[in-house]
Amino acid sequence: MDALDKYKVNLKDLQAGVATYRFELDDAFFELVGGTLVKGGHADVMLSVEEKGGIYALIFHIQGVVCVPCDRCLDDMDVAVDTENVLHVKVGTEYSDEGDVVVVPEDDPACNVAWNIYEFIALSIPVAHVHEEGKCNAAMMEMLAAHLVTSEDMDDTGGGEKAEVTDPRWDKLKDIINN
């Protein structure tokens, strides 16, 4: 038995109407899924499944806190997650998850939603995730500051004017235009 089997929704056994499921995610879930963005966390997932015309609408409401690395200092940081997503599933001849509808085979009409839950969480995390000002790892910030290049560092004219820094590849292309 796979450790993620508890996240399977057997579409064949669903009663008429809306079926609801509740999953509690913890660090072990994120480790089992093996995604690279989210390191851990705790979240509650409420899943409602409703069948309409042969297509099952799986409505996920996910709320909690997940742990991701800070883009600036690489230390772990907590990010709040509150998202609602819909996945459409139908039963067909063979498994397919291309397009807007996931197709599960008739001989095993179960849909493991573990990876979908992980993806919905990952998609709800902001693109840039950094600690609040002053909360980053001080040692890492010192190392970054030592390698930071500012516009003052580029002043090599001696007269206080800023030297224009260009990429030498573009200079070669400009030479072609000027000849």
Side-chain angles (χ1 to χ4, degrees), residues 35-89:
T36 58
L37 178 63
V38 180
K39 293 182 168 186
H42 298 280
D44 290 321
V45 179
M46 293 301 298
L47 170 61
S48 301
V49 181
E50 184 175 358
E51 190 262 336
K52 288 184 183 177
I55 295 181
Y56 298 87
L58 283 68
I59 304 162
F60 298 84
H61 182 80
I62 306 167
Q63 191 172 17
V65 176
V66 295
C67 179
V68 297
C70 173
D71 289 339
R72 191 180 301 141
C73 71
L74 302 178
D75 277 0
D76 291 343
M77 64 178 286
D78 291 336
V79 175
V81 173
D82 190 358
T83 184
E84 189 165 305
N85 303 86
V86 178
L87 176 67
H88 291 69
V89 179

Side-chain angles (χ1 to χ4, degrees), residues 91-103:
V91 177
T93 56
E94 63 183 38
Y95 179 82
S96 168
D97 90 1
E98 308 212 358
D100 294 339
V101 178
V102 174
V103 179

Side-chain angles (χ1 to χ4, degrees), residues 129-142:
H129 31 88
V130 295
H131 286 107
E132 293 177 19
E133 194 66 37
K135 301 278 186 183
C136 279
N137 181 320
M140 179 62 84
M141 295 311 295
E142 285 178 24

Side-chain angles (χ1 to χ4, degrees), residues 8-28:
K8 278 189 177 179
V9 175
N10 193 341
L11 302 176
K12 163 175 78 171
D13 294 341
L14 293 178
Q15 302 294 324
V18 177
T20 58
Y21 299 86
R22 184 171 186 269
F23 304 110
E24 290 185 28
L25 309 181
D26 57 8
D27 292 339

